[in-house]
Each structure stands twice: as structure tokens, then as C-alpha cells.
């Protein structure tokens, strides 16, 4: 799961935005799942791009991960190895729209890695690169919120910290952060409906666990643990937990 690190003078408006979003019913915030799956996916990502996702095709001229690398004729993202792509598709074969879900998982991990890369850039030495990456990340954030990859609170906070790099003027930065908060709130039909928010947040967690399972699987070094069968089993376990109504 993406985590947000505090920096500069955005803390006050970020806290205000978070409190406002929480008051609107989006109470699920930046905390790891009880089984550590989502948190592990993010912490492992900090050690470098997952195997098969760091080749030259996935890096733009400024050295940042490319959020939209070319898609090959077979539908495989060009920054993923053929073997891993086939293993992921096979692990999702019993799910509706397996190819679309496989693409979403890879895209989510790529976005997560790019967000972490942006956070690790030096605020002074890499100011220009940080701003360019913040703009790229922000441009995709609304659609990712709509697709259920982030909760309302998460998207609010992520947008606020990205705006901090995009807008150097404090007054304009606060204005843009408030505008973003309003936009995020409008993406949910009724953010004050706690039952609805619980359902949406559960869907987000389900999607996140799938992505984390694939990211964790890619990091395995033991061939027995990195077999297609192990990935399929992990996906089946997540689906079974979701179907049972369990939350952890």
C-alpha cells in the first residue's frame, strides 16, 4: 500500500483535508491490513522495481518509471516478462475479465513504485524531477480513484502531497489542495453513507491484496515459491477470503 511521508508546509492542509474526508464517512485511512499483505507489497517495492518490471522500456528520459509503457501485441505490458505475464493470467483465469484484471494489477504496482520513487527524490537537488513526476502521478490519480484502487481518504492525502510539489506558491497550493478535496468527494455518490463506504473500501482492499500477492510473488527467490502454482494458490486464497466476507 502507498504511504505518504510528510514534508514542507503541506501538513496543515493535509490534516485538514483528511479530517474533512473522514468526517464525510471515509474512515479507512493509511493503515496496513491485519495480515500485512498490503503493507508488505509497498515496503518490498521500496527495494527496487519488481523483477521483470525495471527494464529500459519502463523508464522515461528523466529516469522515472514510465506510468504508461507500450503494450505488446499479445496484450502484455512491455515492462513485464512474458513468463510473469502468463503466470498472472493463469492465476486469474477463473475470474471474469482476467486479462483486464492482470493489466490493472501490473499498472497498480507500477504506479505504486513510481509514487515511492517520487517520494525518495531529494526535495532540493531533484526539485524539477519531483515536480514532473508529481504532475504525472496526479494526472492519473482521478481515474485510479474511480476504478477503486484507492479510498477517498487515501486519494485525498495523495493529491495534497503531490500538489505540494506541483505548486510552489503556498496560497495557490492551499487552493488547489482544497479543490482536489472537493473533486475527490464528488467521485463518491454519498460519502456520508458509512455502509456504502465500507463496501467500497472492502473492494479496494481486495484489489490491493491481489496486487500485493503478485508483487510479493515476483520477489521470491526460491523457484518452488515462485512457481505459477504458488501464485494461483495465493489468488485463490484471496478470492476465498473475499467471498467468505472475512476482512483479514
Amino acid at each position: 500500500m502507498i504511504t505518504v511521508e510528510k514534508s514542507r508546509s503541506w501538513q496543515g492542509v493535509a490534516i485538514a483535508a483528511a479530517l474533512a474526508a473522514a468526517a464525510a464517512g471515509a474512515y479507512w485511512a493509511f493503515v496496513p491490513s491485519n495480515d500485512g499483505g498490503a503493507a508488505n507489497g509497498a515496503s518490498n517495492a521500496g527495494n527496487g522495481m519488481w523483477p521483470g518490471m525495471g527494464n529500459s522500456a519502463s523508464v522515461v528520459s528523466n529516469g522515472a518509471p514510465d506510468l504508461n509503457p507500450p503494450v505488446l501485441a499479445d496484450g502484455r505490458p512491455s515492462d513485464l516478462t512474458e513468463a510473469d505475464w502468463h503466470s498472472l493470467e493463469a492465476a486469474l483465469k477463473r475470474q471474469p475479465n482476467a486479462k483486464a484484471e492482470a493489466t490493472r494489477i501490473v499498472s497498480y504496482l507500477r504506479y505504486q513504485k513510481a509514487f515511492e520513487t517520487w517520494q525518495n527524490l531529494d526535495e532540493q537537488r531533484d526539485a524539477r524531477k519531483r515536480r514532473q513526476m508529481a504532475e504525472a502521478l496526479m494526472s492519473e490519480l482521478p481515474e485510479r480513484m474511480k476504478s477503486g484502487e484507492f479510498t477517498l481518504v487515501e486519494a485525498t492525502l495523495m493529491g495534497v502531497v503531490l500538489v505540494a510539489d506541483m505548486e510552489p506558491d503556498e496560497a495557490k497550493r492551499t487552493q488547489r489542495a482544497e479543490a482536489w478535496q472537493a473533486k475527490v468527494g464528488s467521485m463518491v455518490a454519498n460519502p456520508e453513507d458509512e455502509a456504502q463506504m465500507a463496501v467500497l473500501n472492502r473492494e479496494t482492499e481486495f484489489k490491493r491484496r491481489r496486487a500485493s500477492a503478485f508483487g510479493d510473488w515476483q520477489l521470491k527467490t526460491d523457484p518452488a515459491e515462485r512457481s505459477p502454482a504458488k501464485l494461483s494458490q495465493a489468488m485463490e486464497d484471496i478470492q476465498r477470503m473475499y467471498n467468505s466476507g472475512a476482512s483479514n
Side-chain angles (χ1 to χ4, degrees):
M1 180 181 69
I2 288 176
T3 57
V4 173
E5 299 174 359
K6 295 180 177 62
S7 63
R8 295 186 177 177
S9 60
W10 67 270
Q11 292 97 321
V13 68
I15 292 172
L19 290 175
Y27 49 84
W28 195 95
F30 284 77
V31 295
S33 61
N34 291 338
D35 66 352
N40 288 340
S43 60
N44 286 337
N47 297 327
M49 188 68 80
W50 286 275
M53 293 186 67
N55 57 37
S56 59
S58 64
V59 177
V60 294
S61 58
N62 64 5
D66 187 355
L67 293 175
N68 295 288
V71 176
L72 304 179
D74 62 354
R76 171 171 63 92
S78 60
D79 59 344
L80 193 69
T81 66
E82 185 175 2
D84 284 3
W85 176 247
H86 289 162
S87 294
L88 180 57
E89 282 192 307
L92 298 169
K93 64 182 180 182
R94 297 181 182 178
Q95 308 303 320
N97 303 316
K99 188 179 289 293
E101 177 61 3
T103 300
R104 185 200 67 78
I105 287 173
V106 175
S107 178
Y108 173 85
L109 293 176
R110 186 188 303 120
Y111 188 89
Q112 175 177 282
K113 177 58 184 176
F115 195 95
E116 292 169 357
T117 297
W118 164 75
Q119 285 191 313
N120 289 329
L121 291 173
D122 184 88
E123 293 187 10
Q124 301 300 322
R125 185 180 63 251
D126 300 317
R128 181 179 179 183
K129 185 185 293 187
R130 280 184 63 99
R131 184 170 61 256
Q132 291 175 335
M133 286 197 69
E135 291 172 350
L137 290 164
M138 191 68 174
S139 68
E140 290 203 2
L141 190 51
E143 288 303 316
R144 292 184 179 276
M145 170 64 185
K146 290 178 183 178
S147 67
E149 291 188 341
F150 301 112
T151 67
L152 191 151
V153 168
E154 290 172 344
T156 298
L157 292 177
M158 290 166 65
V160 168
V161 297
L162 290 170
V163 165
D165 267 9
M166 295 164 57
E167 181 54 69
D169 181 81
E170 184 173 357
K172 292 181 180 179
R173 182 163 63 244
T174 300
Q175 185 178 33
R176 290 186 65 175
E178 291 174 346
W180 169 247
Q181 179 188 337
K183 181 176 182 177
V184 172
S186 69
M187 295 180 191
V188 178
N190 186 7
E192 296 183 3
D193 185 337
E194 292 190 4
Q196 175 195 227
M197 296 306 300
V199 170
L200 293 176
N201 292 342
R202 186 167 178 267
E203 290 285 342
T204 295
E205 178 67 4
F206 174 58
K207 292 179 178 180
R208 179 171 294 142
R209 291 190 185 204
R210 273 185 167 176
S212 293
F214 181 58
D216 290 344
W217 175 82
Q218 285 193 297
L219 289 168
K220 301 292 185 183
T221 56
D222 182 351
E225 293 297 317
R226 207 182 187 282
S227 68
K230 286 289 186 180
L231 178 59
S232 294
Q233 184 61 56
M235 292 297 183
E236 289 175 9
D237 290 345
I238 293 169
Q239 184 68 55
R240 189 179 303 109
M241 181 181 296
Y242 177 79
N243 292 342
S244 72
S247 59
N248 55 64

